[in-house]
Amino acid sequence: MDQLAILDRRRLRRKLSFWRVLALLVIIGLGFALYRLGGGEGGSAVQHVAHVKISGMIQDDTELLERLKEIGDSPNAKALVVSISSPGGTTYGGERIFKAIRAVAEKKPVVSDIRTLAASAGYMIATAGDTIVAGESSITGSIGVIFQYPQIEELMDKVGISLEEIKSSPLKAEPSPFHPPSEEAQQMIRSMIMDSYDWFVDLVAERRNLPRNEALRLADGSIFTGRQALEARLVDTLGGETEIRAYLADKGVSQNLPMVEWKDSEDASSLWFASAMAQFFRLTGLADVLGPAALRPFGGEKLFLDGLVSVWQVGHE
């Protein structure tokens, strides 16, 4: 090959590299634009049904409260679906989230979607919805309040450690892990627990339209399957997205609206590129061409696993 041909080939390669980089940048830009249009970091520029997931231990979550307020104020969020998978948490945390969801419900329909588990403060949050949808085998209930503290007095005696204290009054710093509570301390703690418990029972009675004595009967700490909860009137419907969509349709929310998950802004921003490209592929139809099904023969399932994982699989001979 002569020198001129080599130079021509190098120029061609540079041109191809330039256009490849430019095309990639255009795809990234379009993907990001569509990502922001279709949901992005919590919001959406198109009409949609907002979706929020609440999982794990429930606490006083300022970010979640702000997100719920934004959904309530968003003119494009025509309804809210709150999916709950939680064993409960602090009573105060549940109370604040409950009130935030009710604030949204004053402006648009809200559906509580009980997944695997929504117990105690998890169920408290669920009652904030205009309707509650649960799976037949979902676990819910556990209506009640508990206060626990450790006792290490015997352990201290065994290792030869003692603790002396001088208090301004007998109930100061009670209960203590260093000695059993006095009768007065037990009464104080129980009074506090029962006050929160009465508030919880009244909330269930009001939100589920139950006589208080019936709500009190159900509030013995028992847990229920979705089927049992439906019979006890703790939930309204058994099912999933189909039933949620049907309820929203009755409230004038089109079933054709996309359901957009409003995520924690920090989580969303940290994965914006992956989400943007996923949104781009989905809206352009490339997901069917480049998705897991198409790439499965080439090991595509591994490419679409979320996060860092360890997968056991049978080796090939």
Side-chain angles (χ1 to χ4, degrees):
M1 184 179 296
D2 59 25
Q3 191 68 23
L4 184 60
I6 294 175
L7 291 175
D8 287 340
R9 176 166 294 186
R10 286 177 179 175
R11 281 195 293 268
L12 180 60
R13 285 178 179 175
R14 283 197 293 269
K15 289 181 180 180
L16 287 175
S17 298
F18 170 78
W19 287 112
R20 285 170 180 169
V21 172
L22 182 61
L24 179 60
L25 291 175
V26 170
I27 290 175
I28 291 174
L30 287 173
F32 183 67
L34 291 171
Y35 166 72
R36 295 301 298 271
L37 182 66
E41 298 175 7
S44 178
V46 297
Q47 292 187 355
H48 65 282
V49 175
H51 185 206
V52 169
K53 294 180 180 179
I54 300 177
S55 60
M57 295 299 293
I58 292 168
Q59 302 180 55
D60 184 12
D61 189 339
T62 302
E63 190 283 328
L64 174 59
L65 299 177
E66 292 175 352
R67 205 180 337 151
L68 290 169
K69 185 179 185 305
E70 289 178 2
I71 292 172
D73 294 339
S74 172
N76 290 318
K78 298 303 180 182
L80 169 63
V81 176
V82 182
S83 295
I84 307 165
S85 296
S86 170
T90 66
T91 306
Y92 178 69
E95 175 189 348
R96 292 199 70 192
I97 297 172
F98 170 88
K99 290 179 178 179
I101 294 174
R102 287 309 304 154
V104 177
E106 292 176 0
K107 302 177 181 180
K108 55 198 69 178
V110 176
V111 178
S112 293
D113 171 31
I114 293 180
R115 298 292 178 93
T116 303
L117 172 67
S120 197
Y123 179 70
M124 180 192 299
I125 290 173
T127 64
D130 299 318
T131 190
I132 303 177
V133 179
E136 293 189 36
S137 58
S138 297
I139 298 174
T140 189
S142 189
I143 302 167
V145 181
I146 186 172
F147 185 92
Q148 294 177 317
Y149 55 94
Q151 274 293 316
I152 62 173
E153 183 183 30
E154 291 187 9
L155 175 62
M156 293 175 64
D157 290 341
K158 288 180 179 179
V159 297
I161 299 176
S162 63
L163 177 72
E164 300 295 335
E165 62 183 12
I166 299 174
K167 301 193 292 186
S168 59
S169 57
L171 295 179
K172 177 62 178 175
E174 292 291 341
S176 169
F178 306 114
H179 58 77
S182 64
E183 184 177 345
E184 292 79 7
Q186 289 183 359
Q187 291 176 353
M188 174 190 69
I189 299 165
R190 181 162 183 79
S191 174
M192 180 182 66
I193 291 172
M194 293 310 297
D195 184 66
S196 294
Y197 174 70
D198 288 340
W199 174 84
F200 197 170
V201 172
D202 289 340
L203 182 147
V204 172
E206 176 187 354
R207 293 297 305 150
R208 300 307 304 162
N209 195 25
L210 293 170
R212 193 179 192 281
N213 62 340
E214 179 63 15
L216 197 59
R217 184 184 68 82
L218 296 169
D220 63 353
S222 297
I223 56 175
F224 309 92
T225 65
R227 287 159 37 113
Q228 292 172 324
L230 179 64
E231 184 176 353
R233 295 166 57 191
L234 293 176
V235 304
D236 296 290
T237 309
L238 298 179
E241 185 173 350
T242 300
E243 288 70 24
I244 291 171
R245 288 288 192 174
Y247 173 83
L248 292 177
D250 288 341
K251 297 298 180 181
V253 179
S254 172
Q255 297 196 35
N256 295 324
L257 290 182
M259 189 175 294
V260 176
E261 183 180 354
W262 285 56
K263 299 181 180 180
D264 183 328
S265 57
E266 293 184 1
D267 292 342
S269 61
S270 65
L271 297 174
W272 74 266
F273 178 76
S275 300
M277 296 312 298
Q279 185 82 349
F280 173 77
F281 288 143
R282 183 168 63 253
L283 295 180
T284 57
L286 292 176
D288 295 334
V289 179
L290 300 176
L295 295 179
R296 187 170 292 115
F298 309 99
E301 290 178 340
K302 298 188 187 73
L303 297 177
F304 286 86
L305 289 173
D306 294 327
L308 299 175
V309 297
S310 296
V311 180
W312 176 88
Q313 61 183 13
V314 179
H316 299 283
E317 295 294 338

